[in-house]
Amino acid sequence: MLALALVLAASPVDVQLRNAALLGPSSRAPIGWALAAPVRVVSWPRSTLPRVRHDGPLGAFEVLVDLSREGTEVEARVRQPVRALGVGAWPVVLKAGAVLALQGHDAQGWQVAFLPEHHVPFSVMTLEDDARPVTRAVRPATPLRFRLEDGGSGECAVDELFQTPTSEAPTLRLEPSRWTCLRAGDDVGGFSPVRAETDLLEVSGWVRRASVRCDGVSSGLGLSGLGAGAGDGLLEAEAATLPKGTKLLDAAGGAVVTTLIRPARALALDGGAWRLEPLVRGSLTVQWSRVFLEPSVAPFRETQRWHGVGSSGSTASDWPRPRAATE
């Protein structure tokens, strides 16, 4: 347990539930959802099933999150520049602050994935648990420029990156408008060493001078956005106010997932379950949609009637989804 705690403490990423279904630790059934909730990974019962803990202004909770579940989106924000594994021999550095989709965790480390709108020639990468920060060389890289035919010089666009300075080397195809290329050393034959970068990552390689364009180039350090949505429904149920200090369980007699730090309105569901009104603080939202109360709690019930039930979401239809792990 001590070794696991040390590994998690050394995590190269900060984790946030961008939009995630919350699963009960004992029931492993959906009991709610959360938006924009920063969490700490406590353990990994499965490679795609982290147990996470949130501590914030709406109270603390500890639940499971299934990264393979449709609609669940969990972000990993890189803490400091680190090298990535799982990309063959390509020297790839993820930048501090880069936000990627968390895919899971295995013996090699944290699995992260890119979205299509990131426009990078990679899909999934691995970050070691004890990854050390990358430090810059004393000699800084400069914009890639070549002398033009009219005697001047211009900044250049690159659409193909070579792994080594030979025509037979493995290559990467780049979208020139998305990348900025910086010279990283002296030429070798007809090739120039470069560092190609976006706002998320850097890739080191070589460009063939004869195929480089040096006109009408724009910076590739752009940003992309993701969508959001909301809706409402109706539910016939009894309403009640749950007192401060009420413990919410993931099943009748199950595990405690959170303790209310203030009174909360709730609706009684079938089988003794309860649905609470969404808890909101800024962009942080937590909704307990099917939880149970400790036996000692006796909430005041009101007359059964129809109630509006809010719902919210912030999903990307092409969010990279890991394959569900088997028990």
Side-chain angles (χ1 to χ4, degrees), residues 225-238:
L226 302 174
D232 290 287
L234 288 175
L235 176 69
E236 187 177 18
E238 293 177 314

Side-chain angles (χ1 to χ4, degrees), residues 14-167:
D14 292 316
V15 179
Q16 175 170 269
L17 307 182
R18 182 175 182 270
N19 180 48
L22 308 180
L23 310 182
S26 66
S27 67
R28 295 199 175 183
I31 57 175
W33 53 267
L35 297 176
V39 297
R40 173 174 56 88
V41 176
V42 176
S43 62
W44 290 89
R46 294 205 313 255
S47 63
T48 60
L49 188 75
R51 181 168 179 149
V52 302
R53 179 178 177 85
H54 168 81
D55 293 277
L58 301 179
F61 62 79
E62 191 165 314
V63 297
L64 297 172
V65 174
D66 186 353
L67 299 174
S68 66
R69 187 181 182 87
E70 190 67 30
T72 287
E73 300 171 5
V74 180
E75 295 176 333
R77 181 182 295 272
V78 180
R79 291 178 176 170
Q80 53 197 356
V82 292
R83 296 196 184 281
L85 305 178
V87 287
W90 289 102
V92 175
V93 174
L94 287 176
K95 293 184 175 182
V99 178
L100 303 139
L102 180 62
Q103 294 277 279
H105 186 276
D106 61 18
Q108 286 190 303
W110 297 71
Q111 310 297 316
V112 295
F114 294 93
L115 275 65
E117 57 261 42
H118 290 153
H119 299 280
V120 300
F122 303 106
S123 55
V124 179
M125 294 182 176
T126 300
L127 304 182
E128 293 180 301
D129 292 310
D130 57 352
R132 296 184 178 182
V134 174
T135 55
R136 282 275 167 259
V138 175
R139 178 183 176 183
T142 58
L144 180 65
R145 291 178 179 273
F146 293 129
R147 186 171 299 280
L148 304 180
E149 293 181 359
D150 61 4
S153 64
E155 195 167 333
C156 303
V158 172
D159 57 14
E160 186 177 39
L161 200 63
F162 290 77
Q163 200 168 88
T164 59
T166 61
S167 298

Side-chain angles (χ1 to χ4, degrees), residues 164-290:
T164 59
T166 61
S167 298
E168 297 76 24
T171 61
L172 284 179
R173 300 297 299 181
L174 307 180
E175 295 184 40
S177 63
R178 304 280 180 175
W179 293 77
T180 294
C181 284
L182 304 175
R183 179 180 290 276
D186 299 326
D187 292 354
V188 174
F191 292 83
S192 298
V194 298
R195 189 175 78 229
E197 63 178 279
T198 70
D199 56 318
L200 298 177
L201 79 164
E202 304 170 355
V203 185
S204 296
W206 298 78
V207 297
R208 184 163 47 194
R209 292 189 55 166
S211 61
V212 171
R213 294 185 295 103
C214 299
D215 56 346
V217 177
S218 60
S219 173
L221 300 183
L223 301 175
S224 58
L226 302 174
D232 290 287
L234 288 175
L235 176 69
E236 187 177 18
E238 293 177 314
T241 298
L242 305 181
K244 174 183 176 181
T246 297
K247 289 182 172 58
L248 304 182
L249 316 180
D250 66 353
V256 176
V257 293
T258 189
T259 300
L260 297 180
I261 61 174
R262 60 179 63 90
R265 296 279 293 168
L267 301 178
L269 306 178
D270 60 292
W274 291 82
R275 178 189 179 96
L276 277 66
E277 290 186 350
L279 307 174
V280 181
R281 176 67 66 87
S283 59
L284 169 63
T285 303
V286 179
Q287 166 84 68
W288 299 108
S289 57
R290 190 172 182 82

